[in-house]
Amino acid sequence: MKTITLRKRRERGSISIIVAVSLIALLGILGLAIDSGLGYMVKARLDAATDGAVIAAGEAVTRGSNQTQQTANAQQAANAFFAANYPVGFLGSTVTAGTPSIVFNAGTVTIGMTATASVPVTFAKTLGFKVLNVSSTSQAIRKTLDMAFVIDTTGSLNTSGVPAAVRSNAVAFLNNFDVTNDRVALMHFAYGTVVDVPFNGNARGFDRTTMTNDINNYSFSGSTNSAEGVWNARNQLNTVITQPSSLRVIVFFSDGAPNSFASFMTTNQSGCNNTAGTIASPDSSGTMSGLYSMNALSQSLGSPCFQSNVTKLVTALPKWYNAHNVNEQTFPIWPVTAPRAVPNGNVTYVNVNRASRNLLEAMAAAARAEGTYVFTLGYGAELLSPTGPDNEPGQDILKCMANTADSLARCYNPKQPVGVYCYAATPADLKPCFSQLASQILRISK
């Protein structure tokens, strides 16, 4: 009996030792899991903070007139974003953020940031660990940008408060872009298009001061020859620049549907047949006028090449848009069946208005086929009202130009760049719309 009792006591002692050792190991494993989970939470917060910091720096690097100022602005933005999104002492950690790196190279800006955090451990101390170190490295590359900025300055915008809002918000829009690396061309249109500041060949950067002065001096009058604005935008992107950037954009602002276009018209005045000019129709059936200069905001060609009733001057519409080259045959005017039928060259309100709309959509589609994004901003109630011979809202055309997913089924092409359309109902809405377009352009430039 004594022998049996002694054996049981020894067995109990052995089990106690095994249990104790197992508990220590189990506590260590459990502690490592808990502390590792804490480390993962810190790592996720650290990653988010550095990712956001380099994105913020990419937006801020556009500010400044030279690379020294741009670098300082970008680093300040990165540090501020990181500090705001990684609180001091987060989950007991100690964080060290490195100085953001800003590297300029042939127009592309590469932004990098690294941060480390030390997390004190609790349970894992049983396995000999004192702290858990985690790190994060983020990088953002801002693509080079070529942008043609096209602004409607027609007479319908000349109402109380609107010109001032257009001027101030267009200037603010330009402030989002890098004056030393981005390339920007500025133009405005009505009966014709004036290229205020063209691209400077392949040289990088743009003259924001001159553009600001030009915008602040805009006057608002004339009809809506939108196609001429887009033609000049494409021409700037395709011919003035021979070494294109990785991102090309047309930003087009307007308050109405097109109702005018320019070309070489057949007239009953022999001296006018070698002159290209704009023929303008109203938004509803009525008398058409022309010809107007296609290189000026609101200027008729004068006698004998102008008539307030253009049917007394122009005898036939050209078959092709040929305003810049009489032999150009890229964009047909007639006969066409879609998207709006223009069966013949008769100088009628229906033919001129439909041709104006067809040309604008065709030119925007050609730009997208070349890899150019088209962003559109529409202003005012007129865009929502049915106009023209087919009672079409102007907003539909702007959506088609941008190739948005909610545009008309005949317009949307997912194989082409998908842009953005923003509608501003009031002058106050112009600011958030311009901001949205700038934000989207900067987003796809990263």
Side-chain angles (χ1 to χ4, degrees):
M1 293 295 294
K2 290 182 179 179
T3 302
I4 294 173
T5 302
L6 180 60
R7 184 178 299 163
K8 286 183 178 180
R9 288 176 179 172
R10 287 176 179 174
E11 287 176 353
R12 290 172 182 170
S14 299
I15 292 171
S16 297
I17 294 172
I18 293 172
V19 169
V21 172
S22 298
L23 284 173
I24 292 173
L26 183 61
L27 286 173
I29 294 171
L30 179 62
L32 184 61
I34 294 173
D35 289 331
S36 295
L38 187 65
Y40 279 118
M41 293 173 65
V42 170
K43 178 70 163 66
R45 188 63 176 259
L46 197 64
D47 286 343
T50 55
D51 286 347
V54 296
I55 293 174
E59 296 178 353
V61 80
T62 62
R63 299 194 293 269
S65 58
N66 55 60
Q67 290 185 3
T68 299
Q69 294 176 1
Q70 292 168 335
T71 297
N73 289 332
Q75 290 177 336
Q76 181 181 20
N79 290 331
F81 190 96
F82 183 87
N85 287 275
Y86 195 94
V88 175
F90 176 68
L91 294 181
S93 66
T94 301
V95 68
T96 302
T99 301
S101 62
I102 315 294
V103 179
F104 298 85
N105 181 25
T108 297
V109 184
T110 303
I111 302 162
M113 187 172 187
T114 298
T116 59
S118 298
V119 187
V121 296
T122 303
F123 297 101
K125 287 181 179 179
T126 59
L127 299 180
F129 297 102
K130 295 182 178 179
V131 295
L132 181 63
N133 294 317
V134 297
S135 64
S136 177
T137 298
S138 299
Q139 185 182 81
I141 298 177
R142 192 177 185 281
K143 299 176 184 177
T144 56
L145 170 67
D146 297 338
M147 182 175 71
F149 188 18
V150 186
I151 301 177
D152 183 342
T153 55
T154 54
S156 55
L157 286 161
N158 196 12
T159 59
S160 178
V162 177
V166 172
R167 294 187 191 104
S168 62
N169 286 292
V171 168
F173 173 75
L174 289 175
N175 290 335
N176 291 282
F177 303 99
D178 184 350
V179 293
T180 63
N181 290 296
D182 294 334
R183 295 188 288 216
V184 179
L186 172 69
M187 60 209 72
H188 67 289
F189 73 91
Y191 283 113
T193 295
V194 177
V195 179
D196 303 291
V197 183
F199 291 122
N200 185 19
N202 291 321
R204 302 223 67 88
F206 67 98
D207 187 346
R208 186 158 58 200
T209 299
T210 297
M211 291 184 180
T212 297
N213 291 335
D214 287 336
I215 291 171
N216 284 330
N217 288 322
Y218 281 168
S219 60
F220 294 78
S221 64
S223 189
T224 312
N225 186 356
S226 306
E228 198 62 29
V230 175
W231 187 94
N232 277 277
R234 283 187 66 236
N235 183 62
Q236 287 288 315
L237 290 166
N238 293 340
T239 64
V240 178
I241 293 175
T242 59
Q243 298 173 7
S245 292
S246 51
L247 175 62
R248 306 200 311 166
V249 176
I250 294 174
V251 174
F252 181 88
F253 164 75
S254 182
D255 76 325
N259 55 19
S260 312
F261 72 92
S263 274
F264 285 89
M265 309 289 177
T266 301
T267 73
N268 55 25
Q269 298 288 334
S270 59
C272 302
N273 288 330
N274 295 319
T275 302
T278 297
I279 184 171
S281 74
D283 290 324
S284 58
S285 183
T287 302
M288 297 171 292
S289 59
L291 299 171
Y292 297 89
S293 172
M294 65 180 192
N295 298 317
L297 180 65
S298 180
Q299 178 180 311
S300 74
L301 293 183
S303 180
C305 299
F306 175 81
Q307 288 283 346
S308 57
N309 183 348
V310 81
T311 57
K312 295 180 179 181
L313 172 68
V314 177
T315 58
L317 303 176
K319 286 193 170 185
W320 301 86
Y321 170 85
N322 60 8
H324 300 270
N325 179 351
V326 69
N327 297 314
E328 182 180 350
Q329 296 186 359
T330 303
F331 303 108
I333 294 176
W334 70 273
V336 298
T337 57
R340 301 161 190 87
V342 182
N344 52 53
N346 295 342
V347 186
T348 65
Y349 158 73
V350 171
N351 282 349
V352 171
N353 197 283
R354 284 179 174 174
S356 302
R357 297 173 183 237
N358 287 346
L359 287 171
L360 178 59
E361 288 188 19
M363 290 179 183
R368 298 195 309 269
E370 296 158 351
T372 299
Y373 285 84
V374 179
F375 287 66
T376 56
L377 195 164
Y379 166 77
E382 183 179 334
L383 281 175
L384 307 182
S385 301
T387 58
D390 304 298
N391 291 319
E392 298 174 282
Q395 179 172 256
D396 288 349
I397 299 175
L398 293 178
K399 288 183 177 181
C400 283
M401 291 174 65
N403 193 34
T404 61
D406 64 340
S407 63
L408 300 178
R410 64 172 174 78
C411 301
Y412 179 57
N413 184 348
K415 296 181 180 179
Q416 291 185 346
V418 176
V420 173
Y421 166 70
C422 186
Y423 172 66
T426 69
D429 295 326
L430 287 173
K431 182 177 181 178
C433 263
F434 271 115
S435 296
Q436 179 185 350
L437 296 193
S439 177
Q440 291 296 324
I441 294 170
L442 293 172
R443 180 184 63 79
I444 61 176
S445 73
K446 295 178 175 63

